[in-house]
Amino acid sequence: MNGEKRVLVVGSGGRCHAIVDALSRSPQVGKIYCAPGNAGIAQQAECVAIGVENVDALVEFAKNEKIDLAVIGPEAALAVGVVNAFKENGLRAFGPTKEAAQIESSKEFAKRLMAKYEIPTAGYEAFSDYEGAWEYVKARPLPAVIKYDGLAAGKGVVVAESYEDAEAALRDMLLDESFGGGRVVVEDFLDGPEFSFMCVVSGEKVYPLAMAQDHKRAYDGDKGPNTGGMGAYSPVPFVTEEVEKFALEKIMRPTAKAMVAEGVPFVGVLYGGLILTNEGPKVIEFNARFGDPETEVVLPRLKSDIYALFDAAIDGRDCATEWSEEALLGVVMASKGYPGSYAKGAVIEGVEGLQSKAYHMGTAQKDGKLVTAGGRVLMVVGRGKTLAEAKAMAERDCAQIECENLFYRKDIGHKVLD
Ligand code: AMP
Ligand code: GLY
């Protein structure tokens, strides 16, 4: 880091570590702060103990430290308006305003937008009453796709294979106050392989990033509950040039344009969670931020300067990106019990000296030792000429890491490697 730019990255997970790592390769950057960061990020940035939703403290810190550019990672920070506050204070922040972030925080906003601008996605109906929703679901074929309308950290979607499960999900989301008693969206079921297409967006400008595929289920063979993501790889062989072109021209660009037309221009990373159906790619969901764990396998492939990209996006300038041909594959090591309840504080050994890059998702330092501090703990990212090589590296290194309370999937990449 030989440059002069002072950067603040807001967040603490693996994607935040990958953003810090990418920024540390920028020739323009001289100093990186991270709020609040974690034990791994602390090796590459100066961590400051400010929570991601503490808007006033973040603004004050950025002013005092003369921050040139802030990258706002987590959805919670976007939803409380950290970017709005930075802008109001004349600070440069990369990320959407809270109005634009609704494309993630409100499923209904996203579905309406896609319907109005003819962006390919599953048909849907929205409900706030349990009776109406249940009448609708039981008259339709299975599986039933039921989504809670609001931020639910990947846990608000149920793909029910039986009417019994569908009914239970509707009860949970509409009658049980544990979800906050909101609205649900019931969607048509789409079939096909999923992939994640993240684009840096600035108003109508779209700068595509490399493709990745996530693995949402907890266990091997895509079994078990949905999680935030248990592993990822990039590139994605089944996303041909033709599919990418369709996704860019029929989905990502029209969505960026639609946001401008709706008066909520988007600046930041627009994450398309897409599914390749027989009729071409369709949208499963949009996120208003970098994906986690996709970012950890995508950003290391960026050969050009990420600071230049963020900087250009804030101003709406053009910016070319350059990508390596290398294949990356990352395996998430999670606390036993995740995505349900899990213990914290288990000692982790063997993370140093690996060939893979270990991005820290939820770690802390305690009494001089590295310990687990979250559901997802580490993402071990291998690389090579092929995905098979990258996988061999990641698996070998996962086996080097000793911790009694971690588990990981052994089949990351199975859709393209087996
Ligand atoms: P989401 O949080 O919207 O990404 O949904 C989580 C997961 O549920 C997705 O990754 C899909 O595997 C599945 N899913 C969501 N919507 C649909 C749909 N309309 N058809 C089939 N699967 C879906
Ligand atoms: N990996 C999915 C997400 O970031 O939401």
Side-chain angles (χ1 to χ4, degrees), residues 40-64:
I41 295 171
Q43 296 169 0
Q44 295 184 263
E46 185 173 334
C47 293
V48 289
I50 305 175
V52 303
E53 293 174 55
N54 193 345
V55 183
D56 295 340
L58 290 170
V59 166
E60 194 185 311
F61 179 85
K63 279 187 176 166
N64 289 343

Side-chain angles (χ1 to χ4, degrees), residues 38 335 342-346 348 361-365 371-377:
N38 64 34
S335 296
Y342 52 83
K344 293 184 185 177
I348 313 166
M361 303 183 94
T363 62
Q365 284 286 342
V371 297
T372 61
R376 292 188 294 173
V377 175

Side-chain angles (χ1 to χ4, degrees), residues 5 24 46 76-77 95 119 182 216 260-261 296 299 312 321-322 339 365 367 384 411:
K5 300 294 186 191
S24 72
E46 185 173 334
I119 293 154
K216 290 236 161 78
V260 173
E296 293 92 310
L299 290 189
T321 55
E322 205 189 323
Q365 284 286 342
D367 305 328
D411 66 343

Side-chain angles (χ1 to χ4, degrees), residues 3 31 194 232 246 294 333:
K31 176 79 190 175
E194 291 175 50
F246 186 101
E294 292 92 331
M333 302 184 82

Side-chain angles (χ1 to χ4, degrees), residues 203-231:
E204 294 195 356
K205 280 201 160 54
V206 176
Y207 324 77
L209 306 185
M211 294 289 170
Q213 190 185 46
D214 188 8
H215 295 61
K216 290 236 161 78
R217 302 294 198 100
Y219 314 128
D220 281 359
D222 292 325
K223 301 264 178 356
N226 261 322
T227 69
M230 295 298 293

Side-chain angles (χ1 to χ4, degrees), residues 343-414:
K344 293 184 185 177
V347 174
I348 313 166
E349 275 167 359
V351 178
E352 302 301 324
L354 302 175
Q355 240 188 325
S356 303
K357 172 79 184 175
Y359 290 107
H360 291 231
M361 303 183 94
T363 62
Q365 284 286 342
K366 198 175 160 205
D367 305 328
K369 293 201 161 119
L370 187 68
V371 297
T372 61
R376 292 188 294 173
V377 175
L378 290 166
M379 166 93 157
V380 177
V381 178
R383 56 207 305 164
K385 281 201 201 68
T386 62
L387 287 170
E389 269 179 45
K391 179 174 176 161
M393 184 189 289
E395 296 218 310
R396 199 174 56 235
D397 285 338
C398 282
Q400 299 293 314
I401 294 175
E402 285 175 45
C403 178
E404 60 180 28
N405 203 41
L406 291 180
F407 77 99
Y408 57 94
R409 282 181 62 165
K410 309 280 193 308
D411 66 343
I412 300 305
H414 68 91

